[in-house]
Amino acid sequence: MDFNFSEEQLMIQQAARDFAQNELLPGVIERDNLQKFPKEQVKKMGEMGLMGMMIDPKYGGAGMDSISYVLALEEISKIDASAGVIMSVNNSLVCAGLERFASEKQKQKYLVPLAQGKVIGAFCLSEPEAGSDATSQRTTAEDKGEYYLLNGTKNWITNGATATYYIVIAQTYPEKGHKGINAFIVEKGWEGFVIGNKEDKLGIRGSDTHSLMFTDVKVPKENRIGEDGFGFKFAMAVLNGGRIGIASQALGIASGAYERALKYAKERKAFGTEIINHQAIAFKLADMHVNITAARMLCFKAAVEKDLGKDISESGAMAKLYASKTAMETTVEAVQIHGGYGYVKEYHVERLMRDAKITQIYEGTSEIQKIVISRSIAQ
């Protein structure tokens, strides 16, 4: 693997780093406290091309590679993991899926404004009784000839209230199991589509997470993505790519916590010297550095394989599994290194610790990633 990044990749990384420091850092604690969506910041991210990074410019995207995406998303998530997941969902789950599988008409109508960052998208798979078991869809899409009638509830939807367009996974032919599932593009404001209350979450509190209710929502036939019964394959393909995004978010959370812990350890004195000179602290930082570097390499590996057109089910799962584990372990130790200061909001690491946990849960729990990996190596 070539670790000599191109000039363009380094420019993207620096631009994302500067944006995170100058635009996201001010107010990030307040947004976390108030569960405030970073509306203006996300708008600027769209203007920078960060909301449709890997999409072909003919569809409004920036036409960048996946390494650039990992580099940028890490920098954003170092400072604000909520902005990171908003960026990841729009890029990986919404735009990427539409570019790969949508019709040309769907791309022109929906993908272009999404990739330009003029509107935001949401991916709606999870339900009250269908999380890790995505085949157990209770939301139904009954074929009525010229349209589908959509009924059901979706849970834990990122960008749930701020999105304009929603990709909804629903069951059309229950007797066919996962082969009877379809994917649809649904627009906010359609009759029968209701957005539920915002979830009061442990972390990524700046990201709006809602339940969505569909009652006899008429979805035009032309809004189905792919062939009849393609929905489950669509969802799994999209999630494979999405795991690179969440792995990169986790990587950013971990590296952000590590950088703060390292800085603090070089400044804080105890027993007559900076605490980094005490082996107990130095070894914690050494472990962080090793684990973050390994997580970054797994993210890069998955990104390179994606751009080469390879099957990334295993590499994406490995990146997400390890990066999310690293994020959780690193942030816990960052709080420990800060001592009592780590437990208060102004030092940021307690927020990063709260943000880290979700990376082990959404877009496939760590247990699901192990299933994917074990099946791959058993072949």
Side-chain angles (χ1 to χ4, degrees):
M1 191 182 294
D2 185 2
F3 294 106
N4 293 313
F5 298 125
S6 69
E7 183 177 348
E8 181 184 18
Q9 289 168 335
L10 293 174
M11 287 175 60
I12 292 164
Q13 181 186 45
Q14 187 62 52
R17 182 180 296 143
D18 291 343
F19 176 83
Q21 289 290 333
N22 298 327
E23 301 287 346
L24 290 174
L25 183 58
V28 67
I29 293 175
E30 180 186 15
R31 291 194 301 275
D32 176 73
N33 287 337
L34 300 177
Q35 299 189 72
K36 184 179 179 182
F37 186 86
K39 183 178 179 181
E40 291 303 313
Q41 291 84 355
V42 170
K43 180 181 177 182
K44 291 178 181 178
M45 288 165 66
E47 294 169 355
M48 291 174 63
L50 295 179
M51 300 302 283
M53 288 188 68
M54 299 167 288
I55 303 303
D56 193 310
K58 71 179 181 180
Y59 296 121
M64 301 178 193
D65 63 357
S66 295
I67 290 291
S68 298
Y69 177 56
V70 171
L71 293 171
L73 189 48
E74 179 185 356
E75 294 299 329
I76 296 295
S77 300
K78 279 182 184 180
I79 303 300
D80 188 348
S82 294
V85 72
I86 294 163
M87 174 181 166
S88 176
V89 167
N90 203 73
N91 272 279
S92 299
L93 297 187
V94 180
C95 288
L98 291 176
E99 183 179 42
R100 185 175 173 187
F101 298 111
S103 68
E104 186 63 28
K105 184 177 180 180
Q106 290 169 343
K107 290 176 184 178
Q108 294 297 333
K109 183 176 181 180
Y110 298 111
L111 177 57
V112 171
L114 285 163
Q116 291 173 337
K118 292 182 178 180
V119 298
I120 297 174
F123 182 77
C124 311
L125 175 65
S126 292
E127 297 182 0
E129 296 183 42
S132 293
D133 182 7
T135 62
S136 298
Q137 295 291 303
R138 298 291 181 89
T139 298
T140 59
E142 186 179 356
D143 190 343
K144 290 292 186 178
E146 294 184 1
Y147 61 89
Y148 289 90
L149 207 58
L150 190 65
N151 284 280
T153 300
K154 293 294 180 180
N155 271 20
W156 321 117
I157 305 304
T158 300
N159 304 337
T162 52
T164 299
Y165 303 133
Y166 301 76
I167 296 178
V168 181
I169 311 300
Q171 180 64 261
T172 301
Y173 310 104
E175 69 279 4
K176 294 184 179 180
H178 72 277
K179 294 182 179 180
I181 294 173
N182 278 309
F184 304 93
I185 304 170
V186 176
E187 299 181 21
K188 177 184 283 183
W190 281 358
E191 186 177 354
F193 177 15
V194 176
I195 298 168
N197 293 331
K198 180 187 291 187
E199 301 290 352
D200 189 2
K201 308 189 299 293
L202 171 73
I204 56 166
R205 291 169 59 82
S207 164
D208 65 314
T209 306
H210 294 256
S211 292
L212 308 177
M213 284 72 78
F214 304 94
T215 305
D216 290 339
V217 178
K218 290 185 177 180
V219 181
K221 269 284 176 69
E222 63 185 21
N223 278 44
R224 187 188 72 209
I225 301 172
E227 298 177 355
D228 200 7
F230 181 66
F232 184 75
K233 288 184 178 180
F234 169 85
M236 294 302 103
V238 167
L239 285 170
N240 278 340
R243 285 163 185 158
I244 297 176
I246 299 305
S248 302
Q249 181 203 23
L251 173 63
I253 293 169
S255 55
Y258 166 72
E259 289 176 6
R260 289 185 178 278
L262 180 62
K263 182 176 184 294
Y264 183 83
K266 290 178 178 180
E267 297 171 351
R268 173 73 171 180
K269 287 187 177 181
F271 304 104
T273 186
E274 291 78 9
I275 62 173
I276 195 170
N277 295 321
H278 297 297
Q279 191 178 80
I281 302 301
F283 279 14
K284 288 182 188 296
L285 290 163
D287 285 338
M288 289 180 186
H289 181 57
V290 171
N291 290 335
I292 289 168
T293 301
R296 188 176 289 115
M297 296 304 102
L298 285 170
C299 288
F300 287 162
K301 180 178 185 293
V304 168
E305 290 185 356
K306 180 177 181 294
D307 286 346
L308 291 174
K310 294 184 177 181
D311 180 3
I312 58 167
S313 56
E314 180 185 304
S315 59
M318 289 172 64
K320 183 182 182 298
L321 175 66
Y322 193 79
S324 61
K325 179 174 180 286
T326 297
M328 198 68 242
E329 292 176 351
T330 300
T331 54
V332 168
E333 290 288 46
V335 171
Q336 188 72 18
I337 289 170
H338 279 76
Y341 291 104
Y343 212 65
V344 297
K345 293 181 181 296
E346 67 178 287
Y347 283 78
H348 296 277
V349 288
E350 66 83 29
R351 171 174 51 81
L352 290 167
M353 184 178 73
R354 289 186 286 106
D355 289 343
K357 185 58 197 175
I358 191 61
T359 65
Q360 295 182 305
I361 298 172
Y362 59 14
E363 291 194 35
T365 63
S366 293
E367 291 75 18
I368 290 295
Q369 305 314 313
K370 290 180 181 180
I371 290 173
V372 173
I373 296 164
S374 61
R375 286 176 178 172
S376 177
I377 62 178
Q379 291 178 356

